[in-house]
Amino acid sequence: MGSPKMMYLSLGVLVFQTTSLVLTMRYSRTLQAEGPRYLASSAVVVAEVMKILTCVLLVFREHSYSMRALNSILRQEFVQKPLETLKLAIPSGIYTLQNNLLYVALSNLDAATYQVTYQLKILTTALFSVSMLGHRLGIYQWLSLLILMAGVALVQWPSESDLAPEKEALSAGSQFIGLTAVLVACCSSGFAGVYFEKILKETKQSVWVRNIQLGMFGLVFGIAGMLAYDGERVKESGMFQGYNIITWTVVALQALGGLVIAAVIKYADNILKGFATSLSIILSTLISYLWLQDFNPSGVFFLGAILVMVATFLYGYKGKPSPNPSRA
């Protein structure tokens, strides 16, 4: 565990990054601008490049700005330990899939519904932690998962005072696609996160080096996906078509996300991540309602959001040990 200053700093950055990414990504995908809309697959590739370059600079800084030390550590990890590097291909490919799913989800769901529904990743992460890492969850943790599922169900509960029936019929398919993308992203997030944690705990190498390895595979998978799904449009107008200041902000925030998660793994814990997630939900809901005006919150939604926030806090709560513990 790092110093309190770094813990609170990682909390603040995580809140900023999560909230800002959701809102700007949603705004960028729904913005009516002249010319073609930017390619989501291209944004994923550019974000990976940004993350790799930033991590290289951080490793360079860790080794006292020595180019010789930087070359040595990169050669050692990439050339002399190829099997260790290949282990990162699995979570990297899944992260790339997840990043593309987030664009699909936010193109078909409002920001607040997406943000709360995406908290199902806590459930998938817990299940993968138990099965892959052998973690044991206490009564508070399992209770939080039940509360979480109830909260997400309430968030998705249809409101009678929403849009007209004709508009609901037109948007039903879009909402289903968005919800499916979120659920798949939750499963991929849980598995990839636990797998990455398993790798970090088995080695003593810097988390920034591991992020470079993740980014290299992510870049390969990202380019392959871009060429497979948007190859013709890239040939016609280039991979930077439709880019503007909002697009570059989205890309930068997505790259920052990889660095923030690394910092959270290094300095924070579940309680801090719970605070960050809950604050992000509140901020995303309020800003989505006031700024994007694409969400009309109901009482049922707020009840579900409250349950999700309670579950998030409860998941990180371990309880106080008894003064005279009894043995089972």
Side-chain angles (χ1 to χ4, degrees):
M1 185 68 65
S3 65
K5 181 179 179 181
M6 291 303 300
M7 289 169 59
Y8 287 116
L9 179 61
S10 64
L11 166 67
V13 175
L14 185 57
V15 171
F16 169 79
Q17 186 272 336
T18 305
T19 305
S20 302
L21 178 60
V22 169
L23 294 171
T24 55
M25 189 185 294
R26 170 66 180 172
Y27 179 70
S28 68
R29 299 303 286 173
T30 58
L31 181 65
Q32 298 295 331
E34 296 182 0
R37 188 166 65 172
Y38 76 92
L39 303 177
S41 58
S42 167
V44 171
V45 171
V46 178
E48 289 294 342
V49 173
M50 284 187 176
K51 187 177 73 174
I52 292 172
L53 294 177
T54 304
C55 287
V56 169
L57 291 176
L58 289 171
V59 175
F60 187 49
R61 177 178 177 272
E62 280 185 346
H63 292 81
S64 303
Y65 302 100
S66 171
M67 185 62 68
R68 178 177 300 179
L70 176 63
N71 290 334
S72 176
I73 192 67
L74 293 181
R75 187 184 307 110
Q76 178 183 355
E77 292 299 324
F78 283 89
V79 179
Q80 299 178 8
K81 299 179 181 178
L83 294 180
E84 292 294 322
T85 301
L86 287 175
K87 289 181 180 180
L88 276 299
I90 296 176
S92 179
I94 296 176
Y95 279 135
T96 303
L97 170 65
Q98 177 186 333
N99 288 335
N100 283 281
L101 286 173
L102 298 189
Y103 283 99
V104 175
L106 283 168
S107 297
N108 294 278
L109 290 175
D110 59 82
T113 301
Y114 159 82
Q115 179 73 314
V116 179
T117 309
Y118 191 44
Q119 300 317 307
L120 270 174
K121 63 185 178 181
I122 298 178
L123 171 63
T124 60
T125 300
L127 294 176
F128 282 119
S129 295
V130 171
S131 61
M132 295 175 60
L133 300 178
H135 287 176
R136 295 183 179 181
L137 299 180
I139 184 65
Y140 292 109
Q141 284 71 46
W142 287 117
L143 180 60
S144 73
L145 298 181
L146 295 176
I147 297 175
L148 174 67
M149 289 185 288
V152 173
L154 289 177
V155 167
Q156 293 296 322
W157 197 266
S159 174
E160 296 180 358
S161 60
D162 270 344
L163 304 176
E166 295 81 5
K167 192 170 183 180
E168 288 183 359
L170 290 174
S171 62
S174 178
Q175 291 177 358
F176 176 78
I177 293 174
L179 179 59
T180 302
V182 171
L183 293 179
V184 176
C186 287
C187 294
S188 64
S189 173
F191 176 79
V194 173
Y195 187 89
F196 187 44
E197 179 183 350
K198 182 178 177 66
I199 292 177
L200 289 178
K201 290 182 176 180
E202 291 178 350
T203 61
K204 297 181 180 180
Q205 189 49 261
S206 167
V207 70
W208 308 124
V209 173
R210 295 297 177 232
N211 263 342
I212 295 174
Q213 294 171 315
L214 270 177
M216 293 299 293
F217 285 111
L219 183 60
V220 173
F221 290 127
I223 292 175
M226 181 180 66
L227 295 178
Y229 294 104
D230 298 313
E232 292 300 324
R233 282 184 283 182
V234 170
K235 290 179 181 178
E236 292 176 3
S237 306
M239 65 178 291
F240 295 106
Q241 57 181 286
Y243 272 55
N244 52 37
I245 186 63
I246 300 297
T247 309
W248 284 109
T249 301
V250 169
V251 171
L253 286 171
Q254 190 149 11
L256 177 63
L259 304 178
V260 172
I261 295 302
V264 168
I265 293 175
K266 187 173 184 179
Y267 297 112
D269 56 18
N270 283 330
I271 296 178
L272 285 180
K273 284 192 283 187
F275 272 104
T277 303
S278 300
L279 290 174
S280 179
I281 291 174
I282 296 172
L283 291 176
S284 295
T285 304
L286 293 177
I287 299 175
S288 179
Y289 174 67
L290 297 173
W291 177 37
L292 298 181
Q293 297 181 351
D294 64 348
F295 177 69
N296 186 22
S298 63
V300 175
F301 176 87
F302 280 116
L303 177 59
I306 291 173
L307 288 178
V308 170
M309 288 185 284
V310 170
T312 305
F313 281 111
L314 194 59
Y315 184 75
Y317 179 69
K318 294 180 172 58
K320 296 182 178 180
S322 171
N324 297 310
S326 59
R327 303 180 68 179

